[in-house]
Every structure is written in structure tokens, then in C-alpha cells.
Amino acid sequence: MPLNSHAASSTSLTSQHMSFLVPATNALERSFVFPGSSAPLIPECLLVGMSQENPGFADPPQQIVNFVLGNGISDVIIYPVLTSKETLISPGFPVSVCGLEMFKEVQVPVISPEVPFKRPKPVEAFCASLKDYFRDVCKSVAMEREVTLDHLFIDGTLVQSQAETKIGKNSVKAMEKEMVTCSLQGNERAVLKRSQLFQIPGGKDLDTKVIVVLGKAGMGKSILVQKICQDWSNGEFSQFKFVFWFDCKQISLPEKRYSLKDLLLEFFVKPQEGSKEIFEYILENPAEVLLIFDGFEELHDHDTFSRCSASQPEEDFCSIKELLSGLIQKKILRGCTLLLTSRPKDKVYQYVSKVDKTIEIVGFSPQQRELFITKYFQGLPYSSNALKLIKDSEYLFSHCHCPVMCRFVCFLCETVLEMGDKSLPSTLTTIFLKFVQQKIIPRQTDVTATQNQESFTALARLAWYLGEKHQSVIKSDLPSKKVKEFALKYGFFLPFTFPKHSSSEEEEFGSTFSDFVIQNFLVALHLMLAEDIKDRSLTKYLSFPSKKKPLNWLDLVPRFLAGLLFLQDDPYFCSFSKKDEKHSTKKQKTLLKYIRRLQINRLCPERLLELLHCVYETQSNHLLQRVALRIKPELSFLGVVLSPPDVHVLHSILKSSRKEFSLDLRNSSIDMQGLKDLVGLKNVTSFRASLSDTVRLWNSLKQAKDYEMLRASTEKFVLDPFKAKTMKDISDLSELVEIQETMINCVQDASGCSSYEIPAIKNLRKLEFALGPVCGLQGFLKLVEILAAFPSLQHLDLDALSENGIGDEGAKSLSEVFPTLTSLETLNLSQNKITDVGAEKLATALPSLSSLKTLSLYNNSICDFGAENLAKVLPEMASLRVLDVQYNKITGVGAQQLTDSLRKCPHIKNLVMWNPTIPYGMLEHLQQMDSRISV
């Protein structure tokens, strides 16, 4: 009986055979076959086993297992294995099952769970060929020198992000922002291993699973995909029988049309035999298929994403957008797994409505950078000097958080050490100018020098032409043969072939830029060299004042352009330019004039950072200081990701300024070293950062016994106002209070003081609590334990839109710490499900809040008994000015008691008392008696 592997593994049979009653003729020869299936099925029969003790009746069945056979499911009743003493019903026993009346005893061996399901030979052969293909193409990394993937691969940090479905016209924007505003500590909690990428708890087997991997350009998405394919070819990710990896740059041309069969069976490995059988197997077993589309942003434009309109999408020829749309919409190969990689700024959620898992690659940590550099130079004679040389150049080392940049820096460091130099270029522009120089000059002669310069200039023009169209792929008719040969020879292009629709069709070749950074550098070079681009029109490519984010395609162009404008004296750069020095100086002045006119203090954080990068690339001290003086003192980077290079240029420019600054670095994903550097600046007088990041910084300073820096940073830290939205916020706040206790000894050792209070704790005045109903009570009980540590707390707000629901237990715990809250002026307990029990506890302790001016119990469940208890203590609350008890369950009785008490409280200015349970006429009457009552 043929079983698939899933069925075989779903049972725990340990017996060697089962007893079946089957027709007298050979059951296997008369097996039924389902329509459309090649899997034979033994007809349903009565399975009976009898023992000597009970010879007349069948034993009760021991187990029922659903075996998936072909396209159908059959229930098989399993009995204990018959011993020599057991008998079967005689063939003469009148049994009629499935229209069969004569049976004989047949022993049918059970297929062991360990025996894998046998797929058709063409399918197995094709799978083996796919693995061989990926084993071959994935073993090396396309770099400046031959390097194996295993030797150089470093697992970057993979973070699972919570992308919630949002409703409304700005839902895409909201989700996009959510992907990039998680704090570093939050990232660490959600770090994934590569082996966990495809684990989707609760996913339905029949549904297509969509996994999105986000990462900025150069962060290693393609290398990760290459590693996944290599791992699969070596036996990992065994849940997939087929893996198909598509580089979207190579299949994105709109005029190209494919069928699903062509895409799967022609693009990678052509089956030796049985193409139809293989394709049918794939269609019948989609759960065994993993489709990877690397570089999803290459497939969609900024307006729309094609819907699948084919009547038979598996067979018809469609654009790649239509095919992918059909896969996402589950019209094609429903039940497969889709892995899409994209850049965070690209609106992937606008085109993919259902995402089961979102993962972000956040680049190398400092330790991972060191590991990559060490592995890159492993075995080379100058390996010991390379890491030190790169780390000494802090700006370049900061750029090494991006794997692609790290690779370029390593290559350049290698050439520098080979030439005997002892220093690296100081900017990105000089790095890539040197990179181009090292690629071309060692292999050219005097005869080819001029030709190379012409080809390089033409290549730069092509890069600009494609960049304007958001493309990086070159078809066979572009560029000229001479330029293409030049680009391929020196590694600026990588070749590939387009998939063919039939064996008779001629192969069509294409090329793509080897890297997005190279294309960006070439675009900037063209803008500098082109005769038809006026000096003033250069400034539009800088786009500092633009509210829109720059296009991903040209992200680095402004930086390279600014750097090149200040490299007019570089002899290698001058060799490309036919313009005189006077013309080059004019371009510099155009940039300087443009920056002087910018309203720098009005730039949004992203545009300000871009400006700082461009100014840093110029290495002009005059320009750097001029910009630093015009930056506003209060700098907020709240929710803006600060990469290590961002922190470096920000630190450099703030350091050069004579002004004082306050920084808001919350949810900026700033790393530990960056936070330490910025906080350590003398002219940074105050800062806000995520609590978890701040506590980690202080703990590291304490371990390093850097007490002077520890005290200085605690003096600068600002906490007020603080809003707790997660349990982690409460834990961090508790840890902040705890660290104050441990710091007393540290500060005493450094300054001789016997006591110390962290100013942020001492000066916290407003605390908002918004954990919601799920964690509200649990988090609040933990918060209550540390409330006494905040002596200046004036405003405690527990009114979250989602309702915290602290209830009577939370009210009781809070009332117990009232005597310590001597500065509290506003207490908002609205919408917290407090009843008369909690109101009584609160009322008993309320007089100890000697500074309380406003108390809100809006929308709780307080009845007359609670109102009575509040009425009793009102005269004792001399500081109270406003009491809000509206939308509770107070009736006329409780309202009258509160009104009577109000007469004894001349200090109270407003009592908000409207309740649906108070008769309106009575409430109006009470208001006429005392105008301080609001309805």
C-alpha cells in the first residue's frame, strides 16, 4: 500500500504486519485508482481480528489512522498483530463489504514510518538536480577576489517585527513606520536564528505563507537568501522538496512574459525527463515548494501592482508581476511558501495584503564587524594589521555595520596594505574613487588608459540613465559592445541569462551593476562630468528640504556628489574631467551658496542627517562649523533609526559647535558605543533615550569603573514625562530605581558623597500608565512598588484609551502608598473597573494626599456606597479642587450625599457628577442648589 511520508510519520505503528480481510483474488492486482491519481487504493474492507477467548466477535479497534492516498483519504482501522493462537473469520462467513462477498486471509506488511514516500523518478531526479545547482552556484560570493560563502558568511542580526493590520488610508504608512521604530532592546528580545525563518505558529497547511525580509540596501538580504539555498542543498529546511530563487532584477523587465511552468522548469535546471509529471507533482504538492523573490522592490512601480488576470495562471503567459500577484492572492500554487526580500522604505504592504511573518536585517554589530574583517583577511600575511587599521578609522569602521560597505572597506584595506601604506581614505567618496582606481589602473596600459576613461564616462552616463528610471538591469542592446566589455572586464557588471520559453529560442543575455553603491557612485560622477547638466541643477539632486524621502535607487548620490565637488584637486578624478579648474571652483561655490540658504533649523531629522553626511564628505572645516552653528539646540531623533555612520557624523559636527544641545534618542536603535559617544560630549547638556538602552549604558560604565562618566551621564538623563506602554517599560523603570541604590557606593567612591539621587528619578513629575486590559493589573502592581521612589511625582494618569482595568485590587495597592506621594496633584483613575470596594479603600487613604488638586474616577462602576465613602472624606481633602465621578452607577441617593458634603468643602471648585442612573430632574435641582456641580 503506497503511503506518502506525511501519512507514514503520523502514526506510531511498531508491528511488523497487519491482518486484513481482502477479496479472494489478489487484492493488489484489483486495487482501485482515484481519477487523476496514480496511487492505487485497496478497496475498503472489514478488518476483523479474533482471539480464542472470544471466537465469535471482532475485537474492538485499537487505532484509526487517516492515510492520504493519492488525492483521497482512507480511514484504516488498525488491530493488534495476530498471534499463532488467533484466528480469522472463516471465508464462508457471510460478509458483504464494498460489494465483495468472498474473502481470504492475507498478511499485508506494514510500511515502516522510517521508509520515505517514493516520489516519481523524474521528480526525485529534478530535486537532486536543483540541489546540485544550488550547491554549485551558492558556494562562492561575487567579490573582488574568489571567496567561498562558508568562509565569509556571518549571520547578521535577524529581528522579527510585529506588523499589525491597520485600517484606514494611512495604514501602509503606519506599518512602514512601525518596522523601523523598534528600540534596540526590543530588537534583542525578538532576535531569530536562520533556522527559525520559516516557523509560523498557527499557520494553516492549505494557505500560502508569505514571509517578508526587510533590510536597507547592502544589509545582506541576497547573501542570506544564498545561504538559505545552500543550506537546503545540504539537507536543511527539509520541509521543502523544491526551492526556487529568483533575482527580481533579472526578471523585472516589463516586456518579458512567463508561464509558471517556464519559470520553475526552465530558469534554473531543465528536467532531463518527465517535465509534465514534475509540474503536475508541484501543483499537487504546493506545501513542498519554497519560492524566493529577492529584491521585491525591483518588481513594483510607485503606482500599482498588477492583478493576476490570466484564466489559467499556471499555463498562460503573464508578466512577472501578474504571476507573483497570482501567488500572493492564492490563485496560483495555493499552499506554497513565499519569501520576499525588500528594502524597508518600499511599500511592500501596499502590494502584499497578507504577511505571515516580517523579519528585518539590522546589520552587523561591532563584534560581527570584527569577525567579518578577521575572516576576510584570514591567511593573509598582513591579517594582524588589517583589523587595527580599519578600527582606527572610526568613520569607516562605522560603515562596516553594512555588510556590503564592510566588503568594500576590506578590499581597499587589502590594496593599501599591499602597497605599504599605513592609512585609509577618510570619506566614502575617496574610498570609492580609490576603489575604481585600484580596479582599473593595475590592469591598463598607456594605450588603453584613454579608452578606459571614455568607457568609464559612458558607463557613468548609463548608470544615471537607468537610475532615473529606477533600474539597474541592462538588456543585450545596451550599452555599446565596447562599454559592456569594459564593465564586465573590470567587474562593474555581472552577466546573466534570461529564461527561455522553448529549447528552440535563442539565449538572451543581460547585465546588472555589480552593486547598488557602484551605481550610485557612477551617477554622482556623471552629474559632475556631464556637459549638459548645469551647475545650478546639481543642487536638486541633494534634496535636503524635500519632505519626501529620497529614492532608494539614489540614496547615496547626494553624499558622493558633495564629496566629488571638493575633490577637484585629486589627480585621478581630474583625469576624467575635461573641464578647467575655474569651472570646478564655480561648482563648489554653487553648493556652498545653496547650503547657506537652507533653513537648517527647520529640516526634519532624516533630511538633517543627510545634510550632515554630505557636509562630512566635503571634509571642509569651514562648511562643517557653519552648519553646526545653525543646528537648533533641541534635536529630536524620536523614532528615527540612527545607524553607526549617522551617529559618527552627528557626533563630529556637534563636537565642533560652540552651542549646547539636548538630544532625544528614544526608539532610534542607537548602539551602545554611539550612545556613549553622544552622551559624553560636553556640549550635550541633556538627553533622552530608551530606558533599556540607558540602563545598559550605566551598567557598562559601572562595570568599567568609569564613575566620572557614569555620574555625568546620570546628571544629563531626562525621564519626564514618562509613558509606560509595555511590561518592559515597567521593568526598565524598576531597574532604573534599583540602579540608583547601587550607584550610591560608586558615587561615594568617586566624590565622597554619602548619598545620591539620579536627577531623572528625583525630577519625574508626570507618569502615564497605558498597558491596556491584558497586562494592566499585573503591570500596575509592579509599578506601585516603586512609586515612592519618585518624590516629585505630580501627575499620575491611568486613563488609557484601551482601559487598563486595574480594578479594586489595583486601587487597594495604590491607596497603600498614598502617604508617600506627597507631591501628587493630579490622579486620573478613569475607566479602570473600580467598584465600591475599591472606592472605599481609596477614600480611606485619600486625605493623606496632601497636595492632590484633581481626582478623576470617570467611567468606573462606583455605586452609592462608594459615593458615600467619598463624601465622608471630601471635607478632609483641603487641597482638592476638582472631583470627577461621572459615568458611574451612582443614583440620587449617592448624588445627594456628595452634594451635602460639598457644602462643607468651600475649597472644591468643580464636582462633575452626571450619571445615567441619577434622575435628570434631581441632578438639575442639585445643580441649582450648588453651581459647582457640573452636568
Side-chain angles (χ1 to χ4, degrees), residues 386-555:
L387 179 60
K388 183 179 185 304
L389 185 61
I390 295 174
K391 289 186 70 175
D392 286 346
S393 177
E394 294 180 6
Y395 182 58
L396 296 190
F397 187 63
S398 73
H399 271 290
C400 287
H401 90 287
C402 173
V404 164
M405 288 295 192
C406 194
R407 190 192 86 198
F408 281 118
V409 170
C410 287
F411 170 77
L412 191 58
C413 179
E414 185 179 0
T415 59
V416 164
L417 290 170
E418 285 178 350
M419 295 170 64
D421 293 342
K422 295 183 179 180
S423 62
L424 291 170
S426 57
T427 66
L428 279 187
T429 309
T430 48
I431 283 176
F432 280 89
L433 193 62
K434 191 82 171 175
F435 174 81
V436 170
Q437 185 179 1
Q438 292 300 320
K439 292 279 273 186
I440 297 176
I441 289 182
R443 299 170 63 181
Q444 75 179 12
T445 63
D446 293 338
V447 178
T448 60
T450 304
Q451 295 176 347
N452 283 347
Q453 289 174 9
E454 293 175 353
S455 296
F456 192 71
T457 303
L459 186 61
R461 186 186 308 112
L462 178 64
W464 172 78
Y465 171 77
L466 292 173
E468 290 279 285
K469 295 186 173 185
H470 310 156
Q471 294 178 3
S472 59
V473 174
I474 302 96
K475 294 190 293 183
S476 55
D477 56 337
L478 283 174
S480 67
K481 182 179 179 181
K482 176 183 174 183
V483 174
K484 184 184 295 185
E485 288 178 350
F486 166 82
L488 290 171
K489 176 181 179 182
Y490 293 107
F492 299 117
F493 278 179
L494 294 176
F496 66 90
T497 58
F498 291 104
K500 298 192 301 182
H501 299 316
S502 64
S503 56
S504 61
E505 186 179 346
E506 291 186 8
E507 278 193 324
E508 185 178 358
F509 296 93
S511 305
T512 181
F513 281 97
S514 59
D515 193 88
F516 85 100
V517 188
I518 292 294
Q519 186 175 1
N520 273 248
F521 180 76
L522 291 173
V523 169
L525 193 65
H526 171 74
L527 294 174
M528 284 291 299
L529 301 179
E531 299 281 352
D532 56 339
I533 296 180
K534 304 297 182 182
D535 297 342
R536 291 188 178 181
S537 64
L538 287 177
T539 56
K540 77 176 184 180
Y541 292 96
L542 298 174
S543 68
F544 301 130
S546 173
K547 292 182 179 179
K548 296 181 180 179
K549 298 179 181 180
L551 298 174
N552 280 318
W553 296 93
L554 306 176
D555 265 356

Side-chain angles (χ1 to χ4, degrees), residues 749-762:
D749 293 341
S751 62
C753 297
S754 58
S755 64
Y756 181 70
E757 289 181 287
I758 296 176
I761 295 178
K762 180 181 179 182

Side-chain angles (χ1 to χ4, degrees), residues 632-636 660-664 683-688:
K632 60 184 178 183
E634 294 82 20
L635 285 176
S636 174
E660 291 185 345
F661 296 95
S662 63
L663 303 178
D664 189 346
N683 58 340
V684 171
T685 55
S686 67
F687 77 97
R688 292 203 68 166

Side-chain angles (χ1 to χ4, degrees), residues 585-697:
T585 304
K586 186 178 178 182
K587 285 189 171 183
Q588 271 191 21
K589 291 181 179 179
T590 301
L591 174 65
L592 291 171
K593 186 177 180 180
Y594 172 70
I595 292 179
R596 280 199 299 269
R597 290 181 176 179
L598 276 177
Q599 294 181 311
I600 295 176
N601 59 344
R602 294 188 179 182
L603 293 178
C604 67
E606 293 90 348
R607 297 281 63 75
L608 176 62
L609 286 172
E610 190 59 40
L611 171 63
L612 299 186
H613 275 288
C614 292
V615 170
Y616 189 89
E617 285 293 316
T618 68
Q619 288 293 285
S620 167
N621 289 328
H622 169 73
L623 185 57
L624 191 142
Q625 291 175 5
R626 190 179 188 90
V627 169
L629 286 172
R630 295 168 59 196
I631 297 176
K632 60 184 178 183
E634 294 82 20
L635 285 176
S636 174
F637 296 97
L638 175 65
V640 177
V641 174
L642 289 175
S643 67
D646 293 335
V647 174
H648 183 90
V649 297
L650 180 62
H651 177 271
S652 299
I653 290 177
L654 294 185
K655 185 178 181 180
S656 67
S657 177
R658 296 188 295 271
K659 295 169 65 174
E660 291 185 345
F661 296 95
S662 63
L663 303 178
D664 189 346
L665 305 172
R666 287 173 293 171
N667 295 334
S668 64
S669 297
I670 188 170
D671 65 13
M672 180 63 61
Q673 187 60 46
L675 181 60
K676 181 179 178 181
D677 290 342
L678 289 177
V679 169
L681 288 173
K682 292 182 178 180
N683 58 340
V684 171
T685 55
S686 67
F687 77 97
R688 292 203 68 166
S690 299
L691 263 184
S692 52
D693 294 343
T694 305
V695 169
R696 277 193 310 141
L697 172 64

